Amino acid sequence: MPPRHSLPEALLTTLSTTRGRSDRLTHTEHLPARPARYAPWPDSIRAEITAAARAVGVEQPWAHQAEAMNLAKTGQTVVIATGTASGKSLGYLAPVLSDLLDGTEARNGRGATALYLAPTKALAADQRRRAAELAPPRVRAALYDGDTPPEEREWVRQYASYVLTNPDMLHRGILPAHARWSSFFKVLRYVVVDECHSYRGVFGSHVAQVLRRLRRICARYGSSPTFLLASATTADPAATAGRLTGLPAVAVTDDASPRGPMVFGLWEPPLTENIGEHGAPVRRTATAEAAYLLTDLVEQQTRTVVFVRSRRAAELVALQAQDQLGRPLAARVAAYRGGYLADERRALEGALHSGQLLGLASTSALELGVDVSGLDAVLMAGYPGTRASLWQQAGRAGREAQGALAVLIARDDPLDTYLVHHPEALFAAPVEATVLDPDNPHVLAPHLCAAAAELPLTDADLELFGPSTAPLLPVLERRGLLRRRSDGSWYWTRRERAADAVDLRGSGGSPVQIVEAATGRLLGTVDASASHTTVHTGAVHLHQGRTFLVRELDLENSVALVDAADPPYTTAARDITSISVLDTDTTVRWGEGRLSFGSVEVVNQVVGYLRKRISTGEIMGESKLDLPPRTLRTRAVWWSVTEDQLLDADIPLDRLPGAAHAAEHASIGLLPLFATCDRWDIGGVSVPLHPDTELPTVFVYDGHPGGAGFAERGFQRAVQWLTATREAIAACECEHGCPSCVQSPKCGNGNDPLDKTAAVRLLDVLLAGAPEAADGAPAPTGTDS
């Protein structure tokens, strides 16, 4: 057997040279090992905590952990933004548990409390276990979430000193009932916000306002807790923590944890004989390729996790690998995803840790802080959306400082294809900044209502909730939601609970319930904004590996009735979209062209759907639908070119619609490389002659009311973004356009028309006028008012 440090290289060589795969490995990156740097335990950490840490193998903290502990004890807002397996938990747990131990010496045994927030229930449960390892039982740690029985909830409110929950429960359950939590809030010393990089976009903006409401309630009871945040490595984590909490923050970013050498491969699945839309070539899916690679790794006794994008894909990868392995190795492969019971999840983690399991196909449920060590390899079936998530997932291998292998397997889409052929975009670029906009009035308004229901709003609260607050309050009064009393305070006027008016993870509107018609069983929900395209009558709906057909979408009652089915096709909604410019914030000259950013109104109507054969993507038929139009007011970036530029680019008018449409699709696919979003978070419209600009124009907009910050990031990074878009189209080996370059899985026009060659020429002539800027942002060489 080769030495441990050379094992990853040998594994990758074997994977790429067997079974005719030599052309699939597009790049290999070698990341060197990093030694550990230690520091003494700070004097402020109690002896009981340091003794417990030594008992679990931590003789001394790493330098960044000690730095975080010292900063936390000064009362500053601290964000620990270091790599996977760098011990962020100990960095915040040691000072928190030390203060809670001090609090146990009070007469009531609860002289200090702390609140822990996690994006998932599983992570909160994992953190409670870690707290129990480090602190004696008199520090009472307790979970408080939707699964906590009613009889336990009262005990938690009255006696627990370390409460672990999630932002949703804080928003709906704790803050509206703050009077019942008064003894907890009076002595609240710390608020821990774990995995804070996951709070981005609209969800992050909602959480930012929940944290402001929390600060306001704490002030009401006389406390001012210290905020401690933990994050994957992101750009400018202090600024992100500041936007999230509304407080100035200091970042701990110098990772002193040890890391073994890593070999990182970029992998492109082969083209198949299948033909997709309009005769386009189709590659083997990333999940199918991952199953093949997992099979080979398990056969070599390599402990491996495969990260996939959906629960269904996790089950499929595990099943395919089991089928290929046969007995007895098939029993050593399993799936891991959200929705499993805690005991099932713990059993899988233990089996992987012990080596009983060799292969695990997982959703990102395993990415967020769950303690899994001893892995040899990580496969990623598709780019996980951000470089921060990529390194989170890759970091699951080699956690005991041994050599590790990571492989990113490209999906058949523009972004993944671009990345596996442009390794510098992954290995030479910094991780992204987290994008969120707490001042979005569509996010802020319901939180102002919730805050007023908790405690009447006063002028003193205006600064806390941000600059959009003052102009919003009279609007909410006109809508009959708030009322201003003679003392100047704003009160909630309705009988219903204000907190119920917003779903932190949704985008507004009542979610549509998905109900099995035969049994009345609730399968799940879908955001109202997505219901027309995902659960329209006739749509194929997947739920936990099972397939359903939507019998009826009842918009009046917000219910989609479904029947179990096994059709040989998937469905894709067809829609028509129009866009109008409401307000232009900024326009920058790009030679004769223009780049703009501002507010738009998007009117979208689903008019039908396609049925596509699962095996080939072949279109089997189209059905019409009669659904009402939906209107979205949001933020957009758009660019326009002139008729002279079209002549220079040799693009006749009959090819312009296909050129603009293809450029729009590819730019949507590439924007997630520059803004922390998914392509499903954004939309686009291309118009050969737009009435507002009076020019051929391509729009890319945020798919959330009021915007989410993604289009603005595209405007700021437009030169780099559109250059990457042009390169992605030009480099694709297909002839007329395919899913790897200009075809989109969510196109409402059935990917017609698309003109790949003309799209490259269109982007060439646009970029020829782009201003130079050191940071990649468009330089303000000329701005139109």
Side-chain angles (χ1 to χ4, degrees), residues 9 16 79 142 186 386 404 427 432 436 439 470 492 506 603 658 701 707 718 750-751 781:
E9 186 78 45
S16 60
V79 55
K186 283 177 183 176
T386 64
F427 302 113
E432 309 88 347
L436 64 144
D439 295 323
W492 172 247
V603 179
Y701 60 85
N751 285 301
T781 53

Side-chain angles (χ1 to χ4, degrees), residues 484-765:
R484 193 165 200 183
R485 298 278 177 86
S486 56
D487 62 359
S489 299
W490 301 86
Y491 287 76
W492 172 247
T493 62
R494 304 289 185 89
R495 289 187 175 183
E496 61 266 26
R497 281 167 37 99
D500 293 339
V502 60
D503 176 4
L504 299 191
R505 299 171 194 260
S507 58
S510 299
V512 173
Q513 295 186 317
I514 303 168
V515 176
E516 189 172 20
T519 64
R521 180 168 63 104
L522 178 65
L523 298 180
T525 61
V526 64
D527 290 343
S529 59
S531 61
H532 288 208
T533 54
T534 57
V535 289
H536 56 75
T537 300
V540 173
H541 176 72
L542 296 176
H543 178 75
Q544 295 189 357
R546 296 183 63 198
T547 307
F548 297 85
L549 271 177
V550 179
R551 177 194 295 183
E552 179 189 2
L553 173 59
D554 182 350
L555 292 174
E556 186 175 340
N557 295 304
S558 296
V559 172
L561 294 174
V562 302
D563 297 310
D566 190 21
Y569 59 83
T570 60
T571 51
R574 295 287 304 269
D575 61 8
I576 53 175
T577 303
S578 62
I579 191 167
S580 56
V581 176
L582 299 176
D583 183 52
T584 303
D585 289 12
T586 311
T587 294
V588 181
R589 294 192 183 101
W590 280 28
E592 293 181 31
R594 296 288 187 272
L595 178 80
S596 302
F597 173 72
S599 298
V600 296
E601 181 176 84
V602 182
V603 179
N604 173 269
Q605 184 173 19
V606 174
V607 295
Y609 64 94
L610 300 174
R611 296 183 298 280
K612 298 182 180 182
R613 194 178 303 278
I614 292 174
S615 57
T616 65
E618 171 193 357
I619 296 175
M620 301 170 61
E622 181 176 357
S623 299
K624 295 191 180 302
L625 293 169
D626 183 20
L627 288 167
R630 300 182 67 92
T631 299
L632 170 71
R633 292 195 170 198
T634 186
R635 306 281 274 168
V637 55
W638 61 92
W639 51 268
S640 305
V641 294
T642 65
E643 187 174 339
D644 287 344
Q645 286 178 296
L646 294 178
L647 290 173
D648 292 342
D650 192 23
I651 301 175
L653 291 180
D654 63 329
R655 295 184 66 179
L656 177 58
H661 194 198
E664 171 216 324
H665 278 186
S667 63
I668 289 172
L670 268 292
L671 183 55
L673 187 60
F674 303 94
T676 47
C677 65
D678 188 277
R679 72 182 299 159
W680 301 94
D681 291 326
I682 50 182
V685 178
S686 52
V687 187
L689 183 63
H690 193 273
D692 294 327
T693 64
E694 298 182 339
L695 293 169
T697 305
V698 173
F699 294 83
V700 175
Y701 60 85
D702 292 344
H704 301 276
F710 307 136
E712 184 173 12
R713 186 55 57 92
F715 176 78
Q716 294 167 349
R717 303 288 302 280
V719 175
Q720 292 173 308
W721 168 39
L722 294 175
T723 299
T725 300
R726 187 260 177 219
E727 291 178 4
I729 302 172
C732 186
E733 59 192 277
C734 74
E735 186 174 353
H736 299 296
C738 70
S740 291
C741 57
V742 298
Q743 288 190 353
S744 168
K746 63 174 191 169
C747 179
N749 296 312
N751 285 301
D752 184 50
L754 293 174
D755 191 325
K756 174 184 174 180
T757 305
V760 173
R761 295 205 296 265
L762 181 62
L763 287 165
D764 278 339
V765 76

Side-chain angles (χ1 to χ4, degrees), residues 15-16 18-27 266-271 284 289 292-293 408 420:
L15 290 177
S16 60
T18 58
R19 309 191 195 194
R21 298 175 180 152
S22 57
D23 60 340
R24 302 182 200 177
L25 184 65
T26 62
H27 178 79
L266 303 182
W267 191 281
E268 186 172 42
L271 291 169
R284 180 183 291 154
E289 192 79 348
Y292 282 113
L293 297 185
L408 172 63
V420 296

